[in-house]
Amino acid sequence: MTNSKKANGLFLTMTVCIICFYLFGKGLVTGLPVSIRLISSEIVYLIPVLLCLLIGRDSIGKLIPHRAPRISTLLMTILFVLLLEPLMTCLNVFTMLFSTNYVLETRSDLSIISVPLQLICIAVVPAVLEEFMFRGVFAGYYREQGILTAALLSGLVFGLFHLNFNQFGYAFALGVAFALLLEGTGSIFYGMFAHFLINGFSVIITALSDKILPLTGEESIAAVAESMTTETLVNTFCVYAVIAAVSTCLAGAVYIWIVKHSGRTAYLEKNWKGSGEKKVSPVFLIGVVLCLGFMVWRDFWA
């Protein structure tokens, strides 16, 4: 069995497991502490991945590039992340025009736990586990089809597994960016660092907003988002679209520097497109349809 077939089978298996967990398993963890509930969803993702690696007898060390990180590249990764933030905001605002922002909806639950614990549950754990699963395993399996295809497919899987349209847009974009960062540096650790920064920024900004906004007469950042009209969202999207167009190009320039600094230019040029005919797998399509169907049901009918 090729690695791509393994990835497609794993994708479908995880899709079924995650949807079943959302439909039937959420009640089992409802009474548990918020931190445990957050981590439980990560475990549901992780178990099929570990079983797939075990059954396939895949070497994690060979599948996932893991060169030791360099300080200079870590610093440029911070700049790379900051330049991607406007794109994330742009996609987030765009999807809020027709989809529920589930991240803000969960804010009331998160407010009862400390910020350091939020950072562990929302920034540290997802950064390590999700990069291992989606950039390490999925992108690693799809790598035989070429770096670009691996980045797009693993990014699509990452976006779909958020199971809502609001997070899908920016999760897909970040999934592609992090997969390219892995290939451009030869190390998964930079993606973990970037993922931690993005989630960590979100936690800190939200926590600060919840302290500052009451002083201005607003209850919370979630209340501000709910009060935004369609016209406000459209105007915000237009502004950030212009900013994102510039900042994303700059992020691309930073990425090129990172690739050259890491000595990976020749590797990317050689493996960018891969070899052989690329076919859409029926197994992969079934997983996509199941995810999209659940997202439609959750956002518009549930």
Side-chain angles (χ1 to χ4, degrees):
M1 181 183 292
T2 65
N3 281 343
S4 293
K5 289 183 178 179
K6 288 181 185 178
N8 294 334
L10 176 59
F11 172 48
L12 181 57
T13 301
M14 289 177 69
T15 298
V16 173
C17 290
I18 293 163
I19 290 177
C20 287
F21 175 74
Y22 270 90
L23 292 176
F24 310 112
K26 280 287 188 179
L28 300 176
V29 297
T30 300
L32 297 176
V34 176
S35 56
I36 301 299
R37 288 188 314 215
L38 291 170
I39 295 174
S40 66
S41 60
E42 298 290 341
I43 295 174
V44 173
Y45 285 85
L46 182 63
I47 291 174
V49 174
L50 294 179
L51 289 175
C52 182
L53 290 170
L54 182 62
I55 294 171
R57 297 182 179 179
D58 297 302
S59 170
I60 295 177
K62 292 181 179 179
L63 184 65
I64 305 175
H66 55 281
R67 292 200 299 187
R70 301 164 65 181
I71 297 297
S72 56
T73 308
L74 287 172
L75 292 174
M76 291 303 286
T77 300
I78 296 175
L79 179 58
F80 181 67
V81 167
L82 290 174
L83 290 170
L84 287 177
E85 284 285 351
L87 176 62
M88 289 178 56
T89 302
C90 178
L91 294 172
N92 182 37
V93 172
F94 174 72
T95 53
M96 283 176 64
L97 288 168
F98 57 86
S99 177
T100 302
N101 190 320
Y102 289 97
V103 174
L104 290 178
E105 280 199 349
T106 60
R107 184 58 208 162
S108 58
D109 290 335
L110 294 174
S111 62
I112 65 175
I113 62 177
S114 65
V115 172
L117 187 55
Q118 288 184 49
L119 286 171
I120 292 173
C121 296
I122 298 174
V124 176
V125 173
V128 174
L129 295 185
E130 290 177 9
E131 290 307 305
F132 168 75
M133 291 184 285
F134 296 104
R135 260 61 70 187
V137 177
F138 273 102
Y141 278 156
Y142 285 127
R143 189 176 293 121
E144 64 186 19
Q145 297 189 44
I147 291 171
L148 178 60
T149 300
L152 291 173
L153 290 178
S154 61
L156 179 60
V157 169
F158 182 58
L160 288 171
F161 276 165
H162 284 75
L163 295 180
N164 66 81
F165 287 106
N166 175 247
Q167 288 179 283
F168 168 78
Y170 61 79
F172 169 68
L174 288 177
V176 173
F178 290 166
L180 293 177
L181 187 62
L182 181 150
E183 298 293 353
T185 59
S187 177
I188 194 172
F189 297 120
Y190 296 106
M192 290 179 175
F193 179 59
H195 198 145
F196 167 78
L197 289 176
I198 286 175
N199 287 14
F201 287 159
S202 177
V203 169
I204 292 172
I205 290 173
T206 303
L208 289 175
S209 298
D210 286 346
K211 296 289 186 181
I212 296 172
L213 285 176
L215 301 178
T216 65
E218 297 287 351
E219 293 182 7
S220 66
I221 192 170
V224 172
E226 289 178 3
S227 65
M228 293 179 72
T229 64
T230 300
E231 182 181 0
T232 302
L233 288 172
V234 170
N235 291 337
T236 304
F237 167 75
C238 291
V239 171
Y240 271 97
V242 175
I243 298 172
V246 176
S247 67
T248 304
C249 289
L250 293 175
V254 171
Y255 176 73
I256 292 172
W257 184 94
I258 289 174
V259 172
K260 291 181 179 179
H261 188 64
S262 302
R264 301 278 288 182
T265 303
Y267 168 79
L268 256 65
E269 291 175 349
K270 180 181 178 180
N271 298 283
W272 185 253
K273 291 186 177 181
S275 59
E277 184 180 1
K278 296 177 178 63
K279 297 181 179 179
V280 179
S281 164
V283 174
F284 184 82
L285 284 178
I286 292 172
V288 171
V289 170
L290 286 174
C291 284
L292 290 176
F294 181 83
M295 289 159 66
V296 169
W297 171 81
R298 186 184 185 189
D299 272 356
F300 305 112
W301 292 338

